[in-house]
């Protein structure tokens, strides 16, 4: 769950991915700015994207700048369109009470060469996330989650936590309509 939450956390790239993530560079060189993202409950989970739409009747843009999709039970798809189209598909496969196996696919930046290639190395961004999650997990194991404090920017991670809790209890189908269909969150990132 923490891996899924991490990848739906809008503001974490600047703090967790120095010199590796596009959002880090954007914030580093342009400064912190007010920005909005939109969350929409879906049939399979949650979609988080920017730019925001005018209202919930307006469809999600076909090519938003950023689109993060969570599909039950454990898949996150991160899609970026600028400066180039990039798709990252991640699965967080539970292996124990507080552990998981992380599997991923990343699209190629250039449409040349073989369509699929195996790598022996893990991308640095994923290693940074692993370090953050493993160090935080020790505190969760020791203290539980009572130390957590949330801000508005955490809306997407808190909503995905609710979705997973509903699904784990077998209530996703019947209770998902109790969750907000759409929410716009403005953060300084």
């Amino acid at each position: 769950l923490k891996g899924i939450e991490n990848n739906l956390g809008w503001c974490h790239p600047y703090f967790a991915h120095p010199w590796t993530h596009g959002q880090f560079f954007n914030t580093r060189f342009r400064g912190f700015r007010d920005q909005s993202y939109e969350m929409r409950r879906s049939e399979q989970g949650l979609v988080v994207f920017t730019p925001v739409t005018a209202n919930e009747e307006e469809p999600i843009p076909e090519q938003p700048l950023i689109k993060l999709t969570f599909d039950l039970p454990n898949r996150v798809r991160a899609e970026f369109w600028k400066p180039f189209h990039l798709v990252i598909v991640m699965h967080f496969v539970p292996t124990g009470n507080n552990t998981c196996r992380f599997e991923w696919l990343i699209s190629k930046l250039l449409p040349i060469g073989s369509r699929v290639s195996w790598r022996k190395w893990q991308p640095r961004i994923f290693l940074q996330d692993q370090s953050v999650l493993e160090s935080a997990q020790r505190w969760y194991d020791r203290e539980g989650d009572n130390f957590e404090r949330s801000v508005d920017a955490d809306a997407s991670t808190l909503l995905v936590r609710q979705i997973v809790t509903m699904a784990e209890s077998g209530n996703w189908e019947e209770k998902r309509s109790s969750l907000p269909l759409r929410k716009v969150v403005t953060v300084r990132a």
Side-chain angles (χ1 to χ4, degrees):
L1 178 59
K2 301 294 184 290
I4 292 167
E5 290 177 5
N6 180 65
N7 281 280
L8 291 168
W10 195 262
C11 295
H12 98 274
Y14 179 75
F15 303 101
H17 302 299
W19 307 108
T20 57
H21 195 286
Q23 188 174 341
F24 170 84
F25 292 104
N26 194 23
T27 303
R28 175 81 177 191
F29 298 114
R30 292 185 178 176
F32 287 95
R33 297 171 296 147
D34 288 339
Q35 52 183 274
S36 297
Y37 69 86
E38 183 171 337
M39 303 183 313
R40 292 220 191 156
R41 183 189 74 230
S42 70
E43 295 291 315
Q44 299 80 25
L46 177 66
V47 180
V48 178
F49 62 93
T50 195
V52 301
T53 60
N55 56 54
E56 63 189 43
E57 285 80 33
E58 191 175 322
I60 295 171
E62 297 234 358
Q63 294 184 3
L65 293 173
I66 301 168
K67 181 178 174 185
L68 309 171
T69 305
F70 167 66
D71 291 328
L72 287 165
N74 61 11
R75 182 175 67 191
V76 175
R77 178 184 170 109
E79 198 160 5
F80 308 91
W81 275 269
K82 289 185 180 179
F84 44 80
H85 187 221
L86 177 67
V87 178
I88 304 167
V89 178
M90 298 164 275
H91 289 92
F92 297 86
V93 183
T95 57
N97 190 32
N98 291 319
T99 61
C100 71
R101 183 178 68 246
F102 175 51
E103 302 171 348
W104 72 90
L105 298 166
I106 302 174
S107 64
K108 292 177 67 172
L109 297 180
L110 299 174
I112 57 174
S114 64
R115 295 185 54 84
V116 176
S117 60
W118 297 99
R119 306 276 187 216
K120 291 184 179 185
W121 50 270
Q122 189 172 349
R124 186 160 182 222
I125 287 177
F126 295 161
L127 291 170
Q128 290 169 326
D129 278 335
Q130 180 180 353
S131 176
V132 168
L133 292 170
E134 287 178 353
S135 65
Q137 189 58 52
R138 287 189 283 264
W139 287 97
Y140 281 100
D141 290 344
R142 200 166 81 192
E143 305 289 333
D145 62 4
N146 292 331
F147 67 90
E148 289 185 332
R149 301 295 178 262
S150 297
V151 296
D152 290 343
D154 296 328
S156 57
T157 60
L158 295 173
L159 184 55
V160 80
R161 189 179 290 185
Q162 287 181 284
I163 291 167
V164 169
T165 299
M166 280 183 183
E168 285 175 341
S169 66
N171 295 320
W172 171 244
E173 293 297 327
E174 85 178 61
K175 291 190 175 182
R176 75 171 166 233
S177 62
S178 68
L179 298 175
L181 178 59
R182 173 186 187 261
K183 182 174 182 172
V184 173
V185 180
T186 300
V187 297
R188 188 148 184 85

